[in-house]
DNA sequence: AGTGGATGTCATTTC
DNA sequence: ACGAAATGACATCCA
């Protein structure tokens, strides 16, 4: 009873998690298309709804069309699992780890935009300003070490900047490789893949390619996170940035992050934010619950594979493998030698049917009474039989992420009771279930609550009883499991009445179908278990992505904070012609292509170039 | 007595 | 076209 409840919980839990994944509204668009070979594209783009692929015909069709592999092949499960997972990952989350971080940052990737964004566009007339004292890289190292400030201030278009090692080492030369490496680089999770930020450098204001080097240091992009089109942009980011606690709670981080994800121009509403926070909270709680179920080793080791989900869990029954249970209807888990139903075991006086004139002690009426209870071949045997031949279907790893399922004794050893027919032989005439075995192991009668007499006949299927009634000279196992040719030869070898022939064919049809139904159900369970593995793996992957996202956001906020400090420091050293400090609200720095730096007035527009030399000269004058 | 899982069977589809 | 396999649907048994 307990097992049944657990099975129910398992099924419900699986469905709930699958629904959660699809309905949580969190699509993790990792932009796999650009990183995957074309053949994978097709798999991703193809219809692959894992939860609806119960039409095994369709599954097989898809596979055989392209690869000529049969569903029964073990690799088929891997194939479909891979295909499903790719599809899932592709459509998982709105987080868009690849695109979302990448694109919006690209388009605003320049210091020029930064200052314009901070202080507004330059005006026509600019004041020629004195840069006091000379801003050197060394002087600013305190504030810019992480940001490589010297490069920012001294380099301009045409002078490729040397990205800080901490960031450039993450630049991806090979996008696909980088993608997976990134997934596996837990240790580098506190850094950003800046290379993703350097595509399509378009000046958001000018609509032209950004005049700044493509390999700008990462913080440039990050600093420009806010779209220039945001009219209500805070003139000075201090209060915005400073108020952001780099170690804010996850909710805060997510809220901030969701806000930051608006660079693509999509309007964000409070409801969206609330919804996102709610979803993320749910995910966080889910992650917690999931991770509680994982050992750290498993969690990390498995997560390191990223999309390379663990397919080592063979869903095929160790006992009745796919090959053995599917490829041959005449094979079984238990060999003929091992089978308790084999001829060798049948030694306690079970009468052969062929050639005997023994009248059946089972009347037709009895048959009608009992045929409701027993199947066509083998019938419904006591539960003890299942215990006698336990099929260790329980792959512990199968329940990764679902520890509560480990206690469920999934047992679809459908074919085990077929052991008696594992090796049908023409030379062996009808057999019956080993009564001695049944009697020996069935201390309790088949009908526990029934006072019905347990005769030998009750152990036979109704088809067996019918066959005995009609004196069919073949065993049902033989009828069912013989190959077609041999079965036809068998029928031709013995003259049979139409009634007998019809019964034999029905027995064969029902017996075949019973095995087919068993296999079908087993496959269905295998698919279900496979889906549970997929769900657990995807949840681990999602947890990993969210963790990396949080790290990236922390880094972003830290860099923003440092930039703010740097900006304040720079302006604290600037003086106008009258020696008065510049108001950062009124001026902005502009970096020219020739390496010069200008300080432009926000009010009067045009900036007057202040080259390094001029700055130095002015410094000397001072 | 009701319920859900396991199993057999039939009808139909698919290969 | 035929047979076998696959599978959905239903019935039955049983805990």
């Amino acid at each position: 009873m307990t097992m049944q409840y657990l099975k129910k919980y398992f099924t419900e839990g699986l469905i709930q998690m699958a629904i959660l994944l699809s309905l949580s509204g969190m699509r993790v668009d990792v932009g796999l298309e650009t990183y995957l070979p074309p053949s994978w594209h097709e798999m991703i783009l193809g219809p692959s709804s894992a939860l609806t692929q119960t039409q095994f015909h369709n599954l097989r069709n898809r596979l055989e069309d392209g690869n000529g592999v049969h569903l029964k092949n073990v690799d088929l499960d891997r194939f479909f699992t891979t295909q499903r997972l790719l599809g899932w990952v592709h459509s998982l989350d709105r987080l868009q780890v690849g695109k979302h971080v990448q694109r919006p940052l690209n388009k605003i990737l320049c210091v020029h935009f930064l200052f314009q964004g901070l202080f507004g566009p330059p005006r026509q007339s600019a004041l020629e300003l004195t840069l006091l004292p000379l801003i050197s890289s060394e002087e600013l190292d305190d504030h810019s070490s992480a940001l490589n400030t010297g490069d920012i201030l001294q380099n301009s278009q045409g002078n490729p900047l040397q990205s800080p090692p901490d960031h450039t080492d993450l630049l991806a030369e090979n996008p696909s490789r980088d993608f997976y490496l990134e997934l596996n680089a837990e240790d580098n999770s506190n850094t950003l893949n800046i290379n993703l930020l350097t595509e399509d450098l378009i000046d958001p204001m000018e609509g032209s390619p950004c005049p700044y080097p493509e390999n700008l240091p990462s913080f440039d992009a990050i600093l420009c996170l806010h779209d220039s089109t945001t009219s209500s942009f805070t003139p000075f980011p201090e209060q915005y940035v400073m108020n952001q606690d780099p170690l804010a709670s996850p909710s805060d981080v997510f809220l901030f992050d969701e806000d930051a994800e608006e660079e693509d121009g999509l309007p964000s509403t409070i409801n969206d934010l609330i919804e996102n926070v709610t979803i993320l909270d749910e995910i966080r709680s889910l992650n917690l619950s999931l991770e509680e179920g994982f050992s750290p080793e498993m969690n990390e080791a498995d997560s390191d594979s990223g999309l390379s989900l663990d397919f080592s869990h063979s869903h095929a029954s160790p006992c009745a493998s796919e090959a053995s249970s599917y490829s041959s209807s005449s094979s079984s888990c238990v060999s003929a030698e091992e089978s308790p139903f084999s001829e060798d075991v049948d030694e306690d006086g079970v009468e052969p049917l062929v050639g005997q004139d023994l009248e059946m002690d089972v009347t037709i009426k009895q048959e009608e009474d009992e045929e409701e209870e027993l199947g066509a071949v083998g019938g419904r045997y006591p539960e003890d039989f299942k215990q006698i031949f336990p099929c260790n279907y329980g792959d512990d790893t199968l329940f990764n992420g679902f520890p509560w399922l480990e206690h469920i004794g999934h047992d679809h050893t459908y074919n085990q009771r077929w052991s008696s027919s594992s090796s049908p032989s023409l030379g062996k005439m009808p057999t019956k279930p080993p009564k001695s075995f049944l009697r020996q192991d069935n201390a309790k009668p088949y009908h526990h609550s029934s006072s019905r007499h347990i005769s030998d006949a009750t152990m036979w299927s109704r088809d067996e009883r019918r066959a005995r009634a009609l004196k069919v000279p073949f065993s049902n196992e033989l009828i069912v499991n013989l190959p077609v040719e041999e079965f036809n030869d068998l029928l031709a070898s013995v003259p049979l009445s139409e009634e007998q022939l019809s019964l034999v064919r029905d027995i064969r049809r029902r017996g075949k179908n019973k095995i087919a139904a068993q296999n079908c159900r087993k496959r269905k369970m295998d698919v279900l278990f496979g889906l549970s593995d997929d769900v657990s793996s995807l949840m681990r992957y999602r947890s990993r992505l969210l963790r990396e996202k949080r790290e990236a956001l922390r880094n972003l906020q830290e860099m923003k904070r440092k930039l703010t400090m740097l900006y304040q420091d720079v302006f604290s050293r600037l003086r106008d012609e009258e020696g008065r400090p510049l108001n950062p609200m009124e001026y902005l720095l502009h970096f020219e292509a020739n390496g010069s730096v200008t300080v432009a007035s926000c009010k009067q527009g045009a900036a007057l170039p202040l080259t390094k030399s001029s700055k130095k000269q002015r410094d000397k004058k001072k």
Side-chain angles (χ1 to χ4, degrees), chain A residues 18 42 67 121 214 223 387 427 594:
Chain A
E42 296 177 4
N67 303 281
E214 290 187 356
L223 296 174
Q387 301 170 3
N594 60 4

Side-chain angles (χ1 to χ4, degrees), chain A residues 541-553:
Chain A
Y541 179 55
R542 184 181 60 179
S543 174
R544 177 189 178 85
L545 290 177
L546 292 173
R547 190 167 57 248
E548 292 175 354
K549 181 182 178 181
R550 288 194 296 268
E551 287 295 328
L553 288 173

Side-chain angles (χ1 to χ4, degrees), chain A residues 147-166:
Chain A
L147 305 180
N148 203 0
T149 312
D151 290 338
I152 289 293
L153 296 177
Q154 297 179 7
N155 287 275
S156 60
Q157 185 180 17
N159 298 333
L161 295 169
Q162 296 300 322
S163 300
D166 288 347

Side-chain angles (χ1 to χ4, degrees), chain A residues 514-528:
Chain A
K514 187 169 76 174
I515 297 173
Q518 292 166 351
N519 292 335
C520 183
R521 284 163 176 147
K522 181 182 180 300
R523 280 191 296 272
K524 197 177 288 187
M525 293 301 294
D526 289 342
V527 170
L528 189 62

Side-chain angles (χ1 to χ4, degrees), chain A residues 120 187 232 243 266 289 358 421 447 507 526 554 621:
Chain A
D187 296 340
S232 61
N243 290 341
L266 296 178
S289 62
L358 182 63
S421 59
H447 298 285
I507 290 172
D526 289 342
R554 285 194 202 98
K621 291 180 181 179

Side-chain angles (χ1 to χ4, degrees), chain A residues 134-149:
Chain A
L134 175 66
I135 302 173
S136 66
S137 303
E138 295 76 13
E139 290 172 334
L140 295 176
D141 274 347
D142 291 343
H143 303 299
S144 63
S145 58
L147 305 180
N148 203 0
T149 312

